[in-house]
Amino acid sequence: MEYAALAARFGTPLYVYDLDRVDAARRDLIEALPPGTELYYAVKANPHPELVRALRTGAGQPCRVEISSTGELDVIRQAGYSGADVLYTGPGKTDAEISAALAAGVRTFSVESPGDLTAVGARAAALGITAHCLLRVNSASASASTSIRMTGTPSQFGFDSETLPEVLPGLRDVPGAELAGLHFYPLSNARDEDSLIAEFRHTIGLAADLSARLDLPLRLLDIGGGFAAPYAVPGHRPRYEKLRTELEHTLDRDLPGWRDGAPRIAFESGRHLVGDAGTLLTRVVNVKVSRGRKYVIADAGINTLGGMSGLGRLLPVAVEAEADGERERASLVGPLCTPGDILGRDIQLPTLDRDDLVTIPNVGAYGPTASLLMFLGRPAPTEVVVRGDEVLSVSRLVHTREQSDPA
């Protein structure tokens, strides 16, 4: 697909999502996992309904979905998923959203604390049904020393593994809730395959130990993700050549019934499945020099590509331009009235002028919905979904203010 033609047709800032790349990422990851295991798509990575639908349909094994809000619940229903396909997660589930999820047919929840389990059970019992609950575990130790750590420290996420024996008696007989297994998510965006394998081995061993030592039901074991993808820089998502064999050996040793579904084994992925499917097109609106430093001002800023709005996971981006020749050091900034609107500080950029088109690759995950969309009231970027040379959909997120009767 010709980016310049799309930018001329739909304007900028513009996200372009390629479903052929989504298909390829799903196929490659499923082939890298042990046969018979399940893969959940973390909808938070990109909740665009067309991408979510693509992960359900098409050739090969469909993904299930992991969600943590009623907004994501609406998205996955638009994409054709049923409640039976859902794992509902998150540390702060409200009564209203638990009820909405149950009413939509969701029956599997990851719970993070005794209070969370009690809340899910109470809403299920009120509806006369049973919620199947996975206990999310915050392991006291970890294997991988790199990547984004999601375990091993005090956290709002999960039951601390060392205190689980103390609280477990009070979790076994919560009305409306049935313990069904364990959920782990120890790291995100693993730096290399060996780190990923080591973390999964650690998780599987801990799950087997907890299940045996505490007599915990283990019908479903979700061992999380950590599958990597480049973000806003050139590069390719990794291929995992050893993962399948190494995990099969570990599962055979620690959980020998897994091949017969006892337990079912699940993984999660967000960025790896959709990251390389997305490209952001932005146009230069001004170039200036201030006290010897050059600033290239684009029509896309942190309201368009926010990198989860301040978590420090974005800088620096790497861009390409139509005339991508000689390069210079400059800062790529957005159009917002804040000094924090920086996409790349003092980075290598092509020599750019007003109206030049710039492309930022590998932004199919954590794009518009992870950005400061409402800041300054600027329109959200247009999002175009393509397959090959065909444009399948064109959309833009629109926010409206709902009025309530003060009485």
Side-chain angles (χ1 to χ4, degrees), residues 69-245:
S69 73
T70 52
E72 291 181 345
L73 178 63
D74 289 342
V75 165
I76 64 101
R77 295 175 76 182
Q78 290 177 46
Y81 280 97
S82 70
D85 300 312
V86 174
L87 172 64
Y88 204 108
T89 70
K93 308 176 190 72
T94 66
D95 289 347
E97 66 182 281
I98 295 167
S99 296
L102 290 166
V106 177
R107 294 294 180 269
T108 306
F109 293 79
S110 171
V111 294
E112 317 262 0
S113 64
D116 194 22
L117 177 66
T118 300
V120 171
R123 302 319 304 160
L127 295 171
I129 56 181
T130 298
H132 309 297
C133 296
L134 309 183
L135 301 181
R136 179 166 175 174
V137 176
N138 179 4
S139 174
S141 60
S143 177
S145 59
T146 60
S147 315
I148 301 170
R149 299 271 3 129
M150 298 288 288
T151 195
T153 61
S155 173
Q156 70 267 46
F157 298 112
F159 294 82
D160 295 339
S161 59
E162 66 274 24
T163 62
L164 187 56
E166 300 171 24
V167 301
L168 187 58
L171 308 179
R172 294 189 185 274
D173 298 311
V174 174
E178 178 185 53
L179 301 187
L182 297 172
H183 178 204
F184 296 80
Y185 204 98
L187 82 165
S188 180
N189 207 25
R191 294 290 185 263
D192 56 68
E193 186 173 17
D194 288 339
S195 295
L196 185 65
I197 290 170
E199 197 64 58
F200 280 144
R201 282 175 170 166
H202 175 79
T203 297
I204 292 166
L206 177 58
D209 174 70
L210 289 173
S211 177
R213 183 161 47 89
L214 304 180
D215 190 27
L216 267 170
L218 198 58
R219 296 198 300 275
L220 174 61
L221 171 60
D222 182 339
I223 61 175
F227 308 106
Y231 183 51
V233 294
H236 302 283
R237 58 182 167 77
R239 300 288 293 272
Y240 298 113
E241 304 295 341
K242 302 181 293 183
L243 183 62
R244 179 173 181 165
T245 298

